Amino acid sequence: MADEFVIEADGLIKRYGDFTAVGGVSFQVKRGEVFGLLGPNGAGKTTTMEMIEGLRRPDGGRALVDGFDTVSQLEKVKAIIGVQLQSTSLFDLLTVREITEMYASFYKKSVPVEPLLESMILTEKASARVKHLSGGQKQRLAVALALVNDPLVVFLDEPTTGLDPQARRTLWDIVLKLKEQGKTVVLSTHYMDEAHILCDRICLMDQGSVIALDTPANLIRGLAADKTVEFQMPAFAAMDDDRQERVLGWLGGLAAVSSVEKRQEGFVLYSGDLQSTLTALVSGADGHGLQLEGLSTRTATLEDVFIQMTGRSLREA
Ligand code: ATP
């Protein structure tokens, strides 16, 4: 494995009975990057991570971490990785300091506990029992426990799910600090904003497969239509089916429009060239006597990448 890469996943497969949860996933993770697995619930992110962590045995393919095979050299892999446990599986009755010291004792080499707690903004809570922590504090403790052995690679599985916006931001800062310290971070999420902000590269997964892998900017730039025009058309709801069809056909045929989505909150046109789409839309609406409201434009997001590639939303998929 080239030294540039610290993880190599090669054709990983996991089946449960007849169901293929991960159907041949391959990617490489560079040293020191934050690498995101982004996809809807059930995409296979956790299963893929657990095969790389050596927690689940692949039915096909293999994974290497710093050159060590996660099946045949599991002990070597365990020594150089840190895995964030789901915060629900922490021991409720221990204090933050006790649980961290206990985890540190599992390893031959560990980092000092107090500075570790300080870096996770947990010093004030060091003597508090786990059951008295907030959701964000529990997640930060789970990250602290993943770091006790000073790992080369840290795995974070949906670290901010269920947290309020402020707790999410605090965790994002922690992830960015880990990167500054030179750690490689592999993180799974179904939040596109989180993936965009934190990840150097994103592996977009759906139904057990990799559907795209690149930097967030390149994923968005790769869309044929990387801008959107959004608006409401109040008269649409009252039209008969025929007229609705014709309006949708007209919108789809507008200059530079690659696709049209009708959402509950209004219409979304994906466009490769805003100016020509807007001009055609506004003059056409005038000509048809249709009133448009709430007209706005924006640059496409990772959510749009997912929608254009799968026809479904990350949230609804
Ligand atoms: P989530 O965000 O919901 O955790 P995910 O992308 O991490 O989603 P996985 O947890 O890897 O997805 O699950 C992938 C698929 O495999 C899902 O359809 C899930 O129901 C199924 N699956 C996972 N573990 C098992 C198991 N032990 N037995 C049977 N099916 C499983």
Side-chain angles (χ1 to χ4, degrees):
M1 180 163 58
D3 205 43
E4 182 193 0
F5 300 113
V6 68
I7 292 176
E8 184 163 330
D10 186 13
L12 288 174
I13 296 174
K14 187 72 199 174
R15 297 189 198 92
Y16 298 108
D18 289 345
F19 177 69
T20 302
V22 174
V25 160
S26 301
F27 54 74
Q28 293 170 321
V29 178
K30 293 179 192 169
R31 266 173 219 282
E33 75 175 337
V34 179
F35 185 86
L37 293 172
L38 176 68
N41 290 337
K45 307 180 295 292
T46 302
T47 308
T48 300
M49 275 176 70
E50 289 181 349
M51 286 191 279
I52 298 171
E53 295 158 1
L55 293 175
R56 245 171 242 253
R57 207 187 168 95
D59 294 316
R62 66 169 191 168
L64 303 179
V65 181
D66 206 26
F68 298 119
D69 186 288
T70 57
V71 175
S72 62
Q73 296 172 294
L74 181 56
E75 288 310 313
K76 298 244 194 242
V77 170
K78 274 193 199 160
I80 56 170
I81 66 169
V83 177
Q84 172 217 357
L85 298 166
Q86 293 303 313
S87 54
T88 46
S89 57
L90 299 174
F91 300 93
D92 262 3
L93 293 174
L94 294 183
T95 67
V96 167
R97 183 179 291 111
E98 283 166 351
I99 194 168
T100 312
E101 282 169 350
M102 184 177 87
Y103 272 77
S105 73
F106 296 160
Y107 293 94
K108 281 197 203 117
K109 180 190 80 169
S110 64
V111 297
V113 167
E114 298 302 332
L116 175 61
L117 294 181
E118 195 182 328
S119 68
M120 293 297 130
I121 323 165
L122 286 170
T123 303
E124 275 180 29
K125 292 286 163 188
S127 304
R129 291 190 198 286
V130 172
K131 67 175 180 183
H132 294 133
L133 299 182
S134 69
Q137 289 161 349
K138 274 191 190 163
Q139 289 289 46
R140 297 207 297 277
L141 174 58
V143 177
L145 299 180
L147 295 172
V148 281
N149 59 333
D150 194 18
L152 195 61
V153 185
V154 188
F155 293 89
L156 307 176
D157 193 0
E158 309 222 346
T160 66
T161 295
L163 299 188
D164 64 51
Q166 200 192 337
R168 289 183 74 203
R169 295 235 160 70
T170 308
L171 217 94
W172 290 355
D173 287 343
I174 285 172
V175 172
L176 294 173
K177 281 205 192 101
L178 292 176
K179 178 180 151 71
E180 270 172 30
Q181 291 164 16
K183 303 228 178 277
T184 304
V185 180
V186 178
L187 111 119
S188 82
T189 182
H190 57 263
Y191 296 123
M192 51 150 186
D193 56 342
E194 179 163 296
H196 199 146
I197 287 167
L198 294 181
C199 300
D200 296 302
R201 291 190 307 143
I202 291 172
C203 174
L204 207 53
M205 288 189 70
D206 188 38
Q207 297 178 349
S209 298
V210 175
I211 57 171
L213 197 168
D214 213 327
T215 62
N218 281 347
L219 286 172
I220 291 166
R221 229 176 280 138
L223 292 177
D226 61 355
K227 308 276 190 304
T228 71
V229 177
E230 305 187 6
F231 56 90
Q232 290 109 45
M233 189 189 291
F236 188 80
M239 292 175 189
D240 61 32
D241 289 355
D242 258 12
R243 180 99 204 276
Q244 286 194 343
E245 279 290 305
R246 271 182 283 132
V247 168
L248 286 171
W250 161 64
L251 291 172
L254 289 176
V257 168
S258 67
S259 60
V260 179
E261 264 198 64
K262 171 80 187 76
R263 297 186 189 163
Q264 214 171 358
E265 62 275 15
F267 292 86
V268 182
L269 307 182
Y270 287 99
S271 164
D273 180 55
L274 272 185
Q275 191 168 348
S276 44
T277 299
L278 279 172
T279 310
L281 173 67
V282 173
S283 67
D286 272 351
H288 290 95
L290 292 168
Q291 202 189 336
L292 306 179
E293 286 182 4
L295 187 63
S296 66
T297 64
R298 62 176 173 83
T299 304
T301 64
L302 290 171
E303 172 86 13
D304 299 311
V305 175
F306 190 82
I307 290 173
Q308 290 201 26
M309 296 191 80
T310 67
R312 286 169 296 124
S313 153
L314 265 173
R315 283 161 290 181
E316 294 153 12

